[in-house]
Amino acid sequence: LTAKVRRLRVVDRCSPPPSMAAPEEEQQATGTGEAVWEGILGVLGGKEEIAQRFFALYADSFDYWESRDAKDNGRLSLGVIMLLGLSNLVIKQDGFVIHVGENSFKFRFTEQTADREALISELTKRFQEVIARTDTVRGRVRVNKVAMWAAGTPKGLNIYKSQAKEEEGGQPEIVLDAADIQTCTHDAGSFVLTS
């Protein structure tokens, strides 16, 4: 199984979606329903120190407590990451990074992290659900230093030779199905899609 990596350089800048982090008074309302995954993860702090916390992944949020006992005893969570604002998910060998608006949260697997594959599968499913709700985005891009036109929809990304080709109903040069996009990372205006 090989992954294809494509580097896209954004020519027209787009504003990131606003952060959907829950206000303090609404945090108690999150985490309703049944958790689809629970377990211990390492959280990277400001000085790259790793703190272990107990997490529960729900349909709309990723909540965390000091420990499993704190959750089981009904204590309020220490924090909540609202998944509706999920703008990027980067899966790494030793963990993952969740981007919500301009905030990023870095997680590491620990020896106590159970069922990593199920967690990654559920997070990926949530990310794809957020993408599916996103409207079409269009703009100029560079693919391997060639200027092209991209039209991103909930179904995927179509890349044309030019804007005129898309408007004429022409065939895209590159078609990336949303379900096949494994990761999308960006830095300094450059997006790297792995499919």
Side-chain angles (χ1 to χ4, degrees):
L1 199 68
T2 61
K4 297 176 188 171
V5 177
R6 302 185 192 271
R7 181 173 279 292
L8 304 177
R9 174 135 329 258
V10 176
V11 178
D12 292 332
R13 299 256 181 226
C14 298
S15 300
S19 174
M20 298 294 287
E24 192 78 337
E25 63 272 7
E26 293 180 12
Q27 284 190 3
Q28 293 180 37
T30 62
T32 56
E34 188 174 325
V36 294
W37 182 88
E38 290 185 345
I40 296 172
L41 288 169
V43 183
L44 253 62
K47 295 183 179 182
E48 298 297 317
E49 296 175 2
I50 299 177
Q52 289 193 17
R53 298 286 183 258
F54 182 78
F55 284 82
L57 177 62
Y58 297 96
D60 63 347
S61 66
F62 200 33
D63 302 24
Y64 65 95
W65 293 261
E66 186 72 36
S67 65
R68 181 189 244 333
D69 288 339
K71 178 188 181 288
D72 291 346
N73 291 329
R75 290 195 194 140
L76 288 177
S77 62
L78 294 175
V80 175
I81 299 170
M82 296 303 299
L83 299 178
L84 294 175
L86 190 63
S87 58
N88 199 2
L89 173 65
V90 180
I91 310 298
K92 299 182 175 191
Q93 188 172 359
D94 62 345
F96 56 95
V97 180
I98 293 177
H99 297 269
V100 178
E102 295 183 16
N103 300 315
S104 63
F105 306 91
K106 299 175 184 176
F107 301 95
R108 295 291 181 260
F109 298 126
T110 70
E111 291 178 8
Q112 292 83 21
T113 303
D115 209 355
R116 297 172 185 188
E117 293 79 19
L119 171 61
I120 295 304
S121 174
E122 289 295 333
L123 282 171
T124 301
K125 186 187 310 180
R126 300 296 179 270
F127 184 51
Q128 289 172 343
E129 289 169 0
V130 169
I131 290 172
R133 289 186 218 130
T134 305
D135 291 337
T136 301
V137 176
R138 289 181 168 81
R140 293 179 303 193
V141 296
R142 293 194 187 280
V143 179
N144 297 328
K145 299 183 181 182
V146 176
M148 300 184 89
W149 180 260
T153 70
K155 294 181 180 180
L157 182 66
N158 295 333
I159 301 175
Y160 300 86
K161 281 189 176 181
S162 66
Q163 181 178 359
K165 284 288 185 195
E166 182 204 10
E167 291 171 352
E168 293 168 0
Q171 290 288 358
E173 298 294 313
I174 302 170
V175 176
L176 297 173
D177 188 88
D180 294 332
I181 298 173
Q182 297 171 354
T183 63
C184 176
T185 59
H186 58 85
D187 60 351
S190 198
F191 290 82
V192 179
L193 300 176
T194 307
S195 62

